[in-house]
Amino acid sequence: MSHWTIVRCDLCGATHSSHAAESVSAVREAMALMGWAVARQDGRMIDVCSACTTLRNTPDNPGGKPRCSCEGGELFDALGHDRIGHRLANTLLRAGVDNLELLCSLSARQLLSLEGIGTAGAHHALSRLRPEPERDTTG
């Protein structure tokens, strides 16, 4: 029986897979040769693909904080170009939700019924699609 080790970029969702006969550290060493990196973001260690790694230290990104380099698309644009937005968009695409109109038609209960969508993902999607109205603080 054979299986694979899959590492996902925490910024854009890109994946790298390797035969599981290799240890995770061996997989990460091989990925480093292909430009992948492990970075610290918000106090946590994240995996960053080669496309996202190349954008880390540019003049328009001072401090080299990893950022998204995906090609976008309406789900990615609506849900945000961050870790949770990309993971949510990729999960929705796998579940067959491939456009914003369909996503907007789903209730919280329907979102939670999709494989891989938890309460945080459903809340994120609903808050991005139906933001709370701003309160008038002048009067």
Side-chain angles (χ1 to χ4, degrees):
M1 183 163 124
S2 172
H3 63 279
W4 294 81
T5 299
I6 299 173
V7 179
R8 181 176 305 276
C9 175
D10 289 309
L11 299 178
C12 72
T15 60
H16 173 78
S17 28
S18 181
H19 195 270
E22 301 177 58
S23 68
V24 173
S25 61
V27 170
R28 284 207 163 99
E29 286 176 21
M31 291 169 55
L33 296 174
M34 295 183 299
W36 282 63
V38 176
R40 180 174 291 284
Q41 180 176 329
D42 301 326
R44 297 179 333 157
M45 299 305 288
I46 62 170
D47 292 303
V48 183
C49 73
S50 57
C52 293
T53 299
T54 59
L55 294 174
R56 290 180 65 208
N57 292 310
T58 61
D60 61 336
N61 190 20
K65 185 174 181 180
R67 63 186 177 114
C68 172
S69 65
C70 79
E71 294 179 17
E74 65 180 349
L75 289 180
F76 291 90
D77 294 343
L79 297 172
H81 292 278
D82 58 7
R83 182 180 47 85
I84 192 167
H86 277 100
R87 286 189 177 177
L88 183 56
N90 284 321
T91 301
L92 288 166
L93 289 170
R94 285 191 297 274
V97 179
D98 61 356
N99 64 67
L100 200 51
E101 183 178 349
L102 180 56
L103 177 57
C104 289
S105 73
L106 298 176
S107 68
R109 184 180 303 261
Q110 290 169 315
L111 279 170
L112 288 168
S113 71
L114 297 174
E115 173 111 16
I117 305 282
T119 55
H123 175 73
H124 182 81
L126 293 174
S127 67
R128 293 294 296 233
L129 298 173
R130 303 172 194 142
E132 293 180 26
E134 292 185 28
R135 294 188 179 116
D136 184 7
T137 59
T138 61

